[in-house]
Amino acid sequence: MIDHLHGAAELCNLGFTCSTFHFVSIGLFSIVSESEIQDHLLQDGEVSFGRLLQRTGDTKCLIFCDKVLEASETEKEILPFEGVINLYHKRPVEAAKGARRSPDAVLPSRRQSGSSPGQRADSLVWAEVCNDLIHRVCTLFPDNFVGVCQLPQSPGVPPANCIPELRRCVEELGFVGCNLNPDPSGGYWKDPPLTDPYWYPLYEEMVRLDVPAMVHVSSSCNRNFHGTRAHYLNGDTTAFMQFLHSDLFKHFPTLRFIIPHGSGAVPYHWGRYRGLSLEERQRAMEEHLLKNVFFDTCVYHEPGVRFLTEVVPVENIIFGSEMIGAIRGRDPKTGEYFDDTKKYLDACSHLSDKELHQIFEGNARRVYPRLDALLTQRGC
Amino acid sequence: MIDHLHGAAELCNLGFTCSTFHFVSIGLFSIVSESEIQDHLLQDGEVSFGRLLQRTGDTKCLIFCDKVLEASETEKEILPFEGVINLYHKRPVEAAKGARRSPDAVLPSRRQSGSSPGQRADSLVWAEVCNDLIHRVCTLFPDNFVGVCQLPQSPGVPPANCIPELRRCVEELGFVGCNLNPDPSGGYWKDPPLTDPYWYPLYEEMVRLDVPAMVHVSSSCNRNFHGTRAHYLNGDTTAFMQFLHSDLFKHFPTLRFIIPHGSGAVPYHWGRYRGLSLEERQRAMEEHLLKNVFFDTCVYHEPGVRFLTEVVPVENIIFGSEMIGAIRGRDPKTGEYFDDTKKYLDACSHLSDKELHQIFEGNARRVYPRLDALLTQRGC
């Protein structure tokens, strides 16, 4: 099973876990401030970061604290969660102007993650630090994690800037994909759309390396947009519409993107998009972009996930959940966590075993061929 | 029946039609350029503007050409569509700097409609011209139309600026509601969110007049956002999240908003929003904002409309369709127009007659009390 897991915290990277039980979890590793952790612990009255363990049975921990990072090669057991990562203990970043050093300063630094409003030099150091952290985890637990990288995006800086870090992560660190922020300006959408030739050099490298990108915005600096509840969903809808409104995949027929949160508003407005594709592109979405664009299942209620699987072709759906999710509590109607999307899929009785396997594993292995090769090599 | 109709063209206003058959249509009147009309005629091979007539049986025409505007008081029959409105024949707007005069120039002028990037003076003249046009139509056909007004919004100009025009439209012209653009900057979201005290003076006047607002963005000037297929839906999602994330309705318990396009991404992510309301506001959405926020049914496929009616409380749904819609063609799978949302509702066999009546008429009369009073007075 592949769980396309992504956390609400912005200082995240995408990674994979693969157990000997043929479970695979695609996860965003979250690094959070101590105060945020305390909030979370207090809210739930339990170490809810451990919930993924309950869910998939194999993923041990999402928050990598100092002790995990310092664990020896032989110390393979995940230690109980004990505190906040202070990345700067691992790798000094004196070179990063504006980087802040105290543990609490990790919070503002989130906005430098991926492709947020950091300056070019900060973003590069920040991406390297995060990717090295991911690689450290993958090295400690090679049977559980495979890396997906953060790119050193900054507003106004051409995405070609990201190529060396992408290449390093894939070719040297063994990563199998990347995250791509469609709005490095963090809610002001100042850079060109994803379909502009501005992005093409990065796409050429993605195609050459045969790695997909999850299109995921970072923090919102615009107070009109709540981050996880508006900017995220708007970013998903916007990216899909940009793809639909272009001939991008004529130029890049093997380029692949995953859009999170069930693709924002898209399935709910599937008729609008179907009609547009027919009207404007003179062909169905299946021909125009559904060989290249995939949706995850991070939709926080059973009717929404069922709707997604009824409307969108099964081959375009990749199982996903979130941790730390945008909503952390339990639904009083069901007693279950809102973000436990696997339960919603399990309730989709209209899906055959074959279709569920596609959603849980098959599609992700097709979309991330380097992951598939790795799992095949490992006998998964 | 109340049809909450809104067109894709930006130069629009909201209005009502009331027939003797107890049908009521809430419509956005579209004024388009000649080339756009030609495109539309050529595409369909028919005067598809007349489709509404087929649908509701009473609304005669959506495009008000010169001849309609010049019709005498006794000439009550809608004339066949013959051309584009040239507003400037009706009311010279020499005072409006930047206003363009040739018929083709109507297209750029759209962005001055409602609350787009026009300057303060332009927006005021433009709103007055549009509202006078609506009023002219309402005067010609008093049994069919009731006006809803455009507000003279401009980026960076406090919404208090809109109060005199709102008051004029409601108290002097008999209008029953208004349209409110949450993003006068047209895709750059530079003004404060709708929940900021910046907007309060206008809300106070809306409450005093007891008129609701449809929250609807205008054109997108940001090429990241396709207007009708991304900016619209993002605007809906953003507005809902702003309301949810605030105590606005504690301050204004009788303030009411309608969010179009089935509220963007919101119903699809209903679990996310339910969870957030419980987590952040410590109460259910029903208590927190669903007495104040309503969704229309402008969702272009039957599964989407069915989903909306299954997930969102029936009392929060107001029937709506679009003309000229974002998608103008027919669905090859069904042979029906994508934007014929009434058919989708008719197919919702899980809804009782009472529930359908709520969606088609009852809720709109509750949300627009001045419309209800008018219809009651007319024996509807």
Side-chain angles (χ1 to χ4, degrees):
Chain A
M1 189 185 77
I2 294 179
D3 179 3
H4 211 272
L5 178 87
H6 41 111
E10 297 307 317
L11 178 49
C12 302
N13 278 286
L14 189 63
F16 295 89
T17 71
C18 171
S19 81
T20 53
F21 301 99
H22 293 227
F23 283 96
V24 179
S25 179
I26 307 176
L28 285 169
F29 303 151
S30 300
I31 304 168
V32 297
S33 73
E34 191 163 358
S35 61
E36 197 170 28
I37 288 160
Q38 288 304 325
D39 284 351
H40 194 46
L41 293 180
L42 288 173
Q43 179 206 321
D44 261 347
E46 60 178 281
V47 184
S48 54
F49 299 130
R51 277 194 279 138
L52 188 72
L53 177 59
Q54 300 158 20
R55 196 184 309 163
T56 66
D58 67 319
T59 305
K60 302 292 191 298
C61 186
L62 285 172
I63 307 296
F64 298 98
C65 62
D66 288 359
K67 287 204 176 177
V68 174
L69 293 170
E70 289 164 359
S72 68
E73 287 299 323
T74 54
E75 188 181 8
K76 293 294 173 68
E77 282 186 30
I78 296 285
L79 299 165
F81 176 73
E82 290 190 8
V84 64
I85 294 180
N86 184 347
L87 275 176
Y88 307 107
H89 290 173
K90 306 300 143 204
R91 178 172 169 167
V93 285
E94 282 82 3
K97 288 181 186 172
R100 298 167 66 179
R101 308 303 169 90
S102 72
D104 277 336
V106 173
L107 267 171
S109 295
R110 285 178 182 176
R111 288 188 173 160
Q112 295 178 24
S113 73
S115 48
S116 50
Q119 300 298 309
R120 181 195 296 250
D122 300 341
S123 296
L124 180 57
V125 172
W126 192 236
E128 287 176 352
V129 167
C130 291
N131 292 330
D132 287 348
L133 165 68
I134 298 295
H135 184 240
R136 172 73 174 146
V137 174
C138 297
T139 306
L140 284 170
F141 307 99
D143 293 336
N144 299 83
F145 294 96
V146 179
V148 170
C149 67
Q150 173 173 314
L151 296 175
Q153 295 177 259
S154 291
V157 177
N161 180 61
C162 301
I163 293 174
E165 181 61 6
L166 175 65
R167 194 176 291 163
R168 180 180 82 95
C169 289
V170 175
E171 294 189 331
E172 296 177 27
L173 307 185
F175 285 21
V176 300
C178 60
N179 285 346
L180 189 65
N181 185 347
D183 171 31
S185 68
Y188 288 100
W189 296 87
K190 290 181 180 170
D191 286 291
L194 289 174
T195 50
D196 191 276
Y198 177 77
W199 300 83
Y200 283 11
L202 177 61
Y203 296 162
E204 285 164 7
E205 190 64 9
M206 284 169 57
V207 165
R208 188 186 74 77
L209 295 168
D210 204 12
V211 294
M214 171 180 270
V215 179
H216 199 302
V217 295
S218 188
S219 299
S220 167
C221 308
N222 185 331
R223 68 189 182 107
N224 276 285
F225 305 126
H226 186 287
T228 53
R229 289 92 179 218
H231 187 42
Y232 277 23
L233 307 178
N234 292 350
D236 306 335
T237 309
T238 300
F240 183 85
M241 185 57 218
Q242 289 177 0
F243 296 144
L244 179 52
H245 195 48
S246 78
D247 284 324
L248 181 65
F249 302 116
K250 272 190 181 172
H251 300 303
F252 296 100
T254 62
L255 187 63
R256 297 178 304 282
F257 295 104
I258 300 95
I259 304 184
H261 322 108
S263 199
V266 173
Y268 178 46
H269 291 279
W270 200 242
R272 184 174 285 247
Y273 294 109
R274 275 190 58 231
L276 173 64
S277 186
L278 293 167
E279 194 171 292
E280 189 183 88
R281 319 309 299 181
Q282 283 83 51
R283 55 197 188 280
M285 287 197 289
E286 282 78 358
E287 302 164 45
H288 179 42
L289 82 166
L290 292 185
K291 292 185 180 75
N292 306 83
V293 178
F294 305 86
F295 305 165
D296 84 2
T297 63
C298 284
V299 177
Y300 285 1
H301 59 151
E302 190 269 326
V305 171
R306 190 179 64 237
F307 179 77
L308 167 67
T309 59
E310 286 171 348
V311 167
V312 171
V314 165
E315 52 266 35
N316 289 84
I317 304 172
I318 294 179
F319 176 58
S321 65
E322 287 176 323
M323 179 71 68
I324 311 165
I327 307 298
R328 301 169 186 184
R330 294 177 189 264
D331 186 341
K333 287 189 181 173
T334 63
E336 304 290 349
Y337 284 107
F338 277 106
D339 65 3
D340 193 349
T341 58
K342 182 171 182 294
K343 283 208 164 66
Y344 305 144
L345 268 171
D346 288 342
C348 287
S349 54
H350 63 284
L351 293 171
S352 68
D353 287 349
K354 185 185 167 193
E355 288 171 327
L356 279 170
H357 182 265
Q358 281 181 275
I359 293 171
F360 280 132
E361 180 170 334
N363 294 336
R365 292 180 73 146
R366 198 175 78 248
V367 172
Y368 291 82
R370 284 178 179 262
L371 171 68
D372 181 61
L374 206 63
L375 296 181
T376 303
Q377 190 184 359
R378 292 177 185 174
C380 299
Chain B
M1 189 184 75
I2 296 180
D3 179 4
H4 212 271
L5 178 87
H6 42 111
E10 297 306 317
L11 178 50
C12 303
N13 277 284
L14 190 64
F16 294 90
T17 71
C18 169
S19 81
T20 53
F21 300 99
H22 294 227
F23 282 97
V24 179
S25 178
I26 307 175
L28 285 169
F29 304 150
S30 299
I31 304 168
V32 298
S33 74
E34 191 163 358
S35 61
E36 198 170 26
I37 289 160
Q38 288 304 324
D39 283 351
H40 193 47
L41 293 180
L42 288 172
Q43 179 206 321
D44 262 348
E46 61 179 278
V47 184
S48 53
F49 298 129
R51 276 194 278 138
L52 189 70
L53 177 59
Q54 301 159 18
R55 197 184 310 164
T56 67
D58 67 319
T59 307
K60 302 293 191 298
C61 186
L62 285 173
I63 306 297
F64 297 96
C65 62
D66 289 359
K67 287 201 177 179
V68 174
L69 294 172
E70 289 165 359
S72 68
E73 288 298 323
T74 54
E75 189 182 7
K76 293 295 174 65
E77 282 187 30
I78 295 286
L79 299 165
F81 177 71
E82 289 191 8
V84 65
I85 294 181
N86 185 346
L87 276 177
Y88 307 107
H89 289 173
K90 305 300 141 205
R91 175 172 172 167
V93 285
E94 281 82 7
K97 286 180 187 173
R100 297 167 67 178
R101 308 303 170 90
S102 72
D104 277 338
V106 173
L107 270 172
S109 295
R110 286 177 181 179
R111 289 187 175 163
Q112 294 178 24
S113 74
S115 47
S116 49
Q119 299 298 308
R120 181 195 297 247
D122 300 342
S123 295
L124 180 58
V125 172
W126 192 235
E128 287 175 354
V129 167
C130 291
N131 291 330
D132 286 348
L133 165 68
I134 298 295
H135 184 240
R136 173 74 174 143
V137 174
C138 297
T139 306
L140 284 170
F141 307 99
D143 293 336
N144 299 83
F145 295 96
V146 179
V148 170
C149 68
Q150 174 173 316
L151 296 175
Q153 295 177 258
S154 291
V157 177
N161 180 61
C162 301
I163 293 174
E165 181 61 6
L166 175 66
R167 195 176 291 164
R168 180 181 82 93
C169 289
V170 175
E171 295 190 329
E172 296 177 27
L173 306 186
F175 286 21
V176 300
C178 61
N179 286 345
L180 189 65
N181 185 347
D183 171 32
S185 68
Y188 288 100
W189 296 88
K190 290 181 179 171
D191 287 291
L194 289 174
T195 50
D196 190 276
Y198 178 76
W199 300 83
Y200 282 11
L202 177 61
Y203 296 162
E204 285 164 6
E205 190 63 10
M206 285 170 57
V207 166
R208 189 186 74 78
L209 295 167
D210 204 13
V211 294
M214 172 181 268
V215 179
H216 198 302
V217 295
S218 188
S219 299
S220 166
C221 309
N222 184 333
R223 68 189 181 108
N224 275 285
F225 303 126
H226 187 287
T228 54
R229 289 91 179 218
H231 187 42
Y232 277 23
L233 307 179
N234 292 350
D236 306 334
T237 309
T238 300
F240 183 85
M241 185 55 218
Q242 290 177 1
F243 296 143
L244 179 53
H245 194 48
S246 79
D247 284 324
L248 181 65
F249 302 117
K250 272 191 181 173
H251 300 303
F252 297 99
T254 62
L255 186 64
R256 299 177 303 282
F257 295 105
I258 301 95
I259 303 184
H261 322 107
S263 200
V266 173
Y268 178 46
H269 291 279
W270 200 242
R272 184 175 285 248
Y273 294 109
R274 275 190 59 231
L276 173 63
S277 186
L278 293 168
E279 193 170 294
E280 191 182 86
R281 320 307 299 181
Q282 283 83 50
R283 55 196 188 279
M285 288 198 290
E286 283 77 358
E287 301 164 45
H288 178 44
L289 82 167
L290 292 184
K291 293 184 180 77
N292 306 83
V293 178
F294 305 87
F295 306 166
D296 84 1
T297 64
C298 284
V299 177
Y300 285 2
H301 61 151
E302 190 268 328
V305 171
R306 190 179 63 235
F307 179 77
L308 167 67
T309 58
E310 286 171 347
V311 166
V312 172
V314 165
E315 51 266 35
N316 288 85
I317 304 173
I318 295 179
F319 175 57
S321 65
E322 287 175 324
M323 177 73 67
I324 311 164
I327 305 299
R328 302 170 185 184
R330 292 176 189 267
D331 185 341
K333 286 189 181 172
T334 63
E336 304 290 349
Y337 285 107
F338 277 106
D339 64 4
D340 192 349
T341 57
K342 181 171 181 296
K343 282 208 165 64
Y344 305 144
L345 267 172
D346 288 341
C348 287
S349 54
H350 64 284
L351 293 171
S352 69
D353 287 349
K354 185 185 168 194
E355 289 171 326
L356 279 170
H357 182 265
Q358 281 182 275
I359 293 172
F360 279 133
E361 182 172 331
N363 294 337
R365 291 180 75 148
R366 196 175 79 249
V367 173
Y368 291 83
R370 285 177 177 263
L371 170 69
D372 182 60
L374 205 65
L375 296 180
T376 302
Q377 189 183 2
R378 292 176 184 174
C380 297

